[in-house]
Amino acid sequence: MSQIVPETMRAAVYRGVNDVRVETIAVPEIGEGEVLVKIHTCGICGTDLKKIHTGSHDAPRVFGHEMAGTIVRIGTGVEGFAVGDRVMAYHHIPCGECYYCRKKTFAQCEVYKKVGCTAGFAPAGGGFAEYIRVMDWIVRRGLVKIPDDVPFEQAAFLEPVNTCYKAIQLLDLQADETVLVIGQGPIGILLAALARRTGATVVTSDLYAERHSVAAKFGLDRPIDARGDVVAAAKAATEGRGADVALLAVGSDALIKVAMEAIRPGGRVMLFASTQHGEAPFDPAAVCMDEKTLMGSYSASVAIQDDVTRMVFDGYRNGFDLTNLISHRFSLEDAVAAIDLASHPQADSMKIVIQPS
């Protein structure tokens, strides 16, 4: 069962460090239990950029994992899906049975670490291409149907919202707590908006007033100018105590110290974007004597997948329109320019998406 699918397609192919080229490659073949999806929208994630700029993955590959599109071909044995279905695909799904899965630390599962979507070459998501092959274990547990009244752009946020909601759940926020979110790019705004939904007071910090204006569309109305003294501002907002939680939504090791100083004794710092190995100094006495907690959250959780699906789809109808985070839309032919802009954020750039169609 399939629509007419060409033998070749266009894709933004990673060829080495800082080297991405739009090329013609073969449309991937699918096997039993798999589907072929024609990509409509794929967001550019910071993890994609880090892989491109650091050479952490060998070449060639096609990155991109915040993706939504339409099923155009179905392999034998696939149940519950049909050609023409509008879908979003998670690129990581755990086994559900190993030690880490039993502990609900899904991102450490060996099956989870395998990528289950590809446009060809070594699996790497593949969303920066016209078509992706979705492998069988993803089809079974990580392929989500999109309602007709929800646009592909909204559905492409399912995976990033999942990662953010996982972090918020780990923090177990209380209504009397104050949360400082450092960084108001699209991920920072998602984290702040989700924190606000718990009833906590949310204060946001960023260098750009333009980003605070976007954040205001999500009810985030307590901005801090990051060019000033963020620690002092956090204390001023909390009767001198410091925030209960600091959420670091940018991958800057230097800001870990700021986050630790901005929270009260007994507070928590959540690292969300610190995905590159390195060393970062912090005061160990702040952890021991001041009883501050330094914690992290990485990637998505299958345990909250259904909750996130409802949140994103119902949210589009009820005031949680995530397409407001999209500042730039690029064609696949202009993918290199899209990646360059995403790599060098401007005051007016937020979520950047590639739309092959």
Side-chain angles (χ1 to χ4, degrees), residues 12 36 49 61 153 175 179 223 247 269:
L36 188 72
L49 301 176
R61 293 178 187 245
E153 290 183 348
V179 181
L247 245 165
V269 168

Side-chain angles (χ1 to χ4, degrees), residues 46-64:
T47 58
D48 297 319
L49 301 176
K50 290 172 185 176
K51 293 167 186 174
I52 290 168
H53 299 319
T54 65
S56 58
H57 291 58
D58 58 359
R61 293 178 187 245
V62 180
F63 292 119

